[in-house]
Amino acid sequence: MTYELSEQDMRNNLKQYADLLENETDEYPYVMMFISAYGKLFNWSARPKDIRKRPNGTCYGSCQRFVMKNSGHTYCEGYAFVWRNDVQRLIPMRHAWVVKNDSLDVIDLTCYVFQGGPIQYIGIPISADDVFDITVGFGVGSSLLDVIALSVR
């Protein structure tokens, strides 16, 4: 069985989570609110066979390195909505992925398909040049949206 949310439900879901975290000290509420307002929807697609899966938990660094080494790709960061059987709903998880330039089809370097079917994605595309510029100052492997949120606060 496949579970899906509409675009508006995905945006509302992020806004509700941001409202719950409003009193937290981390940057997640700000990033959630930004993505709920300005994020683009991306389509799940099977990872091409010539691109190997990277280790779980390395999405930011793996995707940043990938776009800097492979021209024609864009780094994206945001939320992947995945089905959780224990709570019987789709849950937003911070995540990074890659798309070919001018495409909305995700190349997910670190995730397999979760229970319930393909993952749904909403996030912000960041060009390879911008990834390079940001990681020169802050290093590879961190959330770029957190770095941006900290710099504008």
Side-chain angles (χ1 to χ4, degrees):
M1 175 179 248
T2 299
Y3 304 93
E4 293 185 17
L5 292 173
S6 69
E7 176 179 354
Q8 192 57 50
D9 286 343
M10 288 174 75
R11 293 182 190 285
N12 289 341
N13 192 311
L14 287 178
K15 176 84 172 77
Q16 288 170 354
Y17 274 90
D19 289 344
L20 289 172
L21 296 173
E22 189 172 21
N23 295 323
E24 295 290 323
T25 58
D26 62 26
E27 298 305 313
Y28 286 104
Y30 304 106
V31 172
M32 278 184 170
M33 291 169 71
F34 180 73
I35 292 171
S36 71
Y38 302 107
K40 290 176 72 168
L41 296 183
F42 293 88
N43 307 314
W44 179 87
S45 61
R47 184 175 40 257
K49 293 189 185 309
D50 61 331
I51 297 176
R52 68 177 170 80
K53 182 190 178 303
R54 279 31 175 218
N56 292 341
T58 66
C59 63
Y60 300 124
S62 293
C63 292
Q64 291 162 10
R65 285 184 202 88
F66 186 89
V67 299
M68 289 189 287
K69 291 179 182 176
N70 297 277
S71 64
H73 292 81
T74 300
Y75 173 86
C76 297
E77 190 173 316
Y79 288 87
F81 281 77
V82 298
W83 180 257
R84 293 266 311 265
N85 278 333
D86 57 339
V87 292
Q88 291 293 300
R89 65 179 298 176
L90 287 161
I91 301 293
M93 296 175 57
R94 287 291 298 272
H95 195 46
W97 58 92
V98 173
V99 296
K100 285 189 176 182
N101 289 349
D102 302 321
S103 172
L104 296 176
D105 294 332
V106 169
I107 301 170
D108 197 323
L109 300 179
T110 60
C111 284
Y112 289 114
V113 175
F114 286 81
Q115 292 175 328
I119 302 167
Q120 292 179 264
Y121 302 84
I122 184 171
I124 306 295
I126 302 172
S127 73
D129 289 341
D130 288 339
V131 169
F132 179 79
D133 290 345
I134 295 168
T135 58
V136 163
F138 293 93
V140 172
S142 297
S143 161
L144 300 186
L145 292 181
D146 283 348
V147 170
I148 294 166
L150 286 171
S151 68
V152 298
R153 278 191 73 203

